[in-house]
Amino acid sequence: MKKKRVPVFLIGYLCFLSACIAFWIFVIGYVHKCLNRYEAAQPEYFVEELTSGLAGVGLSSIFRVGEAPTRFESAEDIASYYDKSVGGKTLVWRQDKASYDVSAPVYRLYADEAPVGVLTLREASSRPLMFILTLCEWEVASAEPLIAAPAESVTVTVPEGWTVLVNGEALGKDELTGNAGIPEELRYAGEYVEVPRIVEYHVEGLYEKPVTEVRDASGAIVEYNETCEEGHTQITVDAFPVSGMDPKLEAQVLENAERYTNFFSRDLPGCRNSVAPIADMFPKDSYYLELADNYRREDMWMYSAHSAPTFENEKVSNYIKYSDQLFSCEIYFDKRIVLNTKTVRIDTTHTRCVYGYVEGGWRILDMQTILV
C-alpha cells in the first residue's frame, strides 16, 4: 500500500501558528506582569505599606513632632502623647482631593476618623515601562503630625516661699498669677509681724496631666489636695495644719482670755481705774486696749453685781503655728456667776485668738468670735 504524505504547507502553517500562539502567550504574560508591577508602584500602595508598618513603632517615627510649647514638657513627651493618642485605633488613609500634583500626591491619615497626619510623597526614581508607562518608586517628602491643641492645665496655691515642681521643673515668677493674699484670720496681724502670704501658680498648654510636687520652706515634700475637672487640675495644701501646743503657752492663752473677760465684768483688780491689768496682753497701740478703755469709762458701771466668777469646760484647741513669731488658737470656756438676785448667769466664750511675738513677748494681735 502506498503511504500518504502530509503536505509541506500544512506542516509550515502549523509551525507558524504554534509560534504565533507562543509569541502572544509571552506578550500577554509580559504585559500582565508589567501591569501588575505598574499597579503595585502606585502611591496608595506605598502609603498602605507605610501605614501598616506604623503599628509597631508609633506614628512619631514618621511624623516628627516639633518642640514642646512649654518648658514643662519635652519633644519626647509630645511624641509619646502622640503615639498614645492613636494606640489601639484603626489607621486609614485618604488621598487629599485638593492635591492635583501627580508627582507629589498628598494623603491624610485618620485614626478612627480623627485626622492624625498629612503625608506628602515624591518620586524617588522612575523608569519607562512598556514604552508608554512609567514605573515610579516613592518616598516621603514631608510628614506633618496633626495633634490636638494642648488642653491640660494646673493651678497650685501654696504659701510664699514654698517650692512647686511641675514635671520636675520648679515654678517661678513667670507662673505667678498675681492672686496673692494672706489667711483671713491674719488680716490684722500684719500690722505687727510679718505674715505669710498665700500665692497662686498657674501652668497651661500641657498635653498630659502633669506630675506635681510641693515642698515646704524646709524642703520637705508636702501632701496636697487635688481636684480635676475638664483637663484642669486644682491643687491646694493644708499650709498651716493644726498641731500640738506647748502646755505653758496653752496655760498662758487661757489665763489671758479669762483675765480679759474678768476685766469687762469688773472682776479684775484695778479695772475701774485703767486698762493696766490687761495691758501686758496686747501691743501698746492695740485697738483692743482702746476698746477696753472706752468700755471702762462709759459702760462698765452697768454690769450687774455678782459673786466671784468660776470657769468651766475650759479648752484650748486648733493651735496653728504660722511662723516662729505668729500663731492662732481657739479658746472655749463657760463663765459662771451668781447675781445678787440669786440668778445664775453663764457666759460662754468661744474665740479664736491670733498671737504675735512683739515687744519681747506673746501678745494678742486679734480676736475673732466663733459663732456656733
Side-chain angles (χ1 to χ4, degrees):
M1 178 184 289
K2 195 173 182 179
K3 198 170 183 181
K4 199 172 185 178
R5 291 185 177 183
V6 178
V8 173
F9 172 77
L10 181 59
I11 295 173
Y13 175 75
L14 292 175
C15 290
F16 173 77
L17 183 61
S18 298
C20 287
I21 291 174
F23 172 77
W24 283 111
I25 290 175
F26 170 78
V27 169
I28 292 172
Y30 176 74
V31 170
H32 180 72
K33 181 179 179 181
C34 289
L35 290 177
N36 285 340
R37 291 175 62 193
Y38 177 76
E39 178 68 18
Q42 296 305 299
E44 54 264 31
Y45 290 103
F46 174 83
V47 174
E48 274 190 356
E49 182 179 355
L50 186 66
T51 304
S52 63
L54 291 176
V57 295
L59 283 180
S60 62
S61 63
I62 299 297
F63 297 91
R64 301 294 183 180
V65 300
E67 293 297 320
T70 72
R71 65 186 177 93
F72 304 102
E73 291 177 319
S74 65
E76 290 76 14
D77 294 329
I78 309 306
S80 175
Y81 168 80
Y82 184 47
D83 289 336
K84 287 190 291 185
S85 69
V86 299
K89 298 180 180 179
T90 302
L91 295 177
V92 296
W93 58 266
R94 294 171 188 161
Q95 189 167 5
D96 192 336
K97 296 180 180 179
S99 173
Y100 300 103
D101 188 353
V102 294
S103 64
V106 178
Y107 293 86
R108 293 185 175 272
L109 290 181
Y110 296 82
D112 289 351
E113 300 303 316
V116 295
V118 178
L119 197 66
T120 302
L121 306 182
R122 65 183 172 205
E123 292 182 3
S125 63
S126 63
R127 62 179 184 272
L129 184 67
M130 290 176 50
F131 304 106
I132 59 173
L133 301 177
T134 300
L135 190 65
C136 297
E137 292 186 2
W138 300 95
E139 64 182 8
V140 176
S142 66
E144 177 188 354
L146 298 179
I147 310 176
E152 290 286 341
S153 62
V154 59
T155 300
V156 186
T157 304
V158 294
E160 190 175 36
W162 287 27
T163 301
V164 179
L165 295 98
V166 171
N167 291 340
E169 292 288 330
L171 304 188
K173 62 181 181 180
D174 291 339
E175 287 75 45
L176 286 172
T177 65
N179 296 332
I182 63 174
E184 178 64 20
E185 65 270 20
L186 305 180
R187 60 188 181 277
Y188 299 121
E191 299 177 13
Y192 302 97
V193 295
E194 184 177 353
V195 175
R197 295 198 315 156
I198 303 297
V199 297
E200 182 182 77
Y201 294 95
H202 181 74
V203 176
E204 58 185 20
L206 302 173
Y207 281 94
E208 295 193 89
K209 179 183 174 182
V211 177
T212 305
E213 185 177 283
V214 178
R215 294 178 177 268
D216 63 19
S218 67
I221 297 177
V222 177
E223 294 185 357
Y224 53 77
N225 305 310
E226 178 183 279
T227 57
C228 301
E229 184 176 354
E230 296 181 354
H232 178 68
T233 302
Q234 180 75 46
I235 291 176
T236 57
V237 298
D238 187 6
F240 309 110
V242 173
S243 59
M245 191 175 187
D246 180 80
K248 291 183 179 180
L249 190 58
E250 180 178 340
Q252 178 184 345
V253 299
L254 183 59
E255 190 267 338
N256 284 348
E258 293 178 351
R259 264 204 298 156
Y260 185 72
T261 187
N262 280 345
F263 176 90
F264 285 87
S265 63
R266 298 188 304 185
D267 293 306
L268 198 61
C271 65
R272 297 173 185 264
N273 302 321
S274 70
V275 295
I278 60 171
D280 63 309
M281 296 162 48
F282 301 92
K284 292 178 181 178
D285 60 347
S286 173
Y287 175 64
Y288 289 98
L289 289 179
E290 181 181 342
L291 289 178
D293 195 48
N294 289 337
Y295 174 81
R296 177 189 66 82
R297 294 174 184 273
E298 300 177 8
D299 300 318
M300 184 177 283
W301 64 271
M302 294 188 296
Y303 205 94
S304 302
H306 56 274
S307 63
T310 58
F311 294 93
E312 303 171 348
N313 304 318
E314 299 165 305
K315 182 180 180 182
V316 179
S317 63
N318 293 331
Y319 169 75
I320 298 175
K321 181 179 179 181
Y322 302 98
S323 69
D324 290 339
Q325 289 78 38
L326 190 64
F327 74 86
S328 71
C329 62
E330 292 183 19
I331 302 164
Y332 181 94
F333 56 77
D334 294 322
K335 179 179 178 179
R336 179 187 179 91
I337 58 176
V338 180
L339 303 179
N340 287 349
T341 60
K342 305 303 181 182
T343 302
V344 176
R345 174 174 167 176
I346 297 178
D347 294 330
T348 297
T349 294
H350 191 186
T351 304
R352 178 183 293 107
C353 288
V354 178
Y355 275 79
Y357 196 83
V358 296
E359 300 170 2
W362 288 109
R363 316 291 180 188
I364 299 175
L365 305 183
D366 192 18
M367 293 187 293
Q368 301 145 16
T369 299
I370 299 175
L371 302 176
V372 179

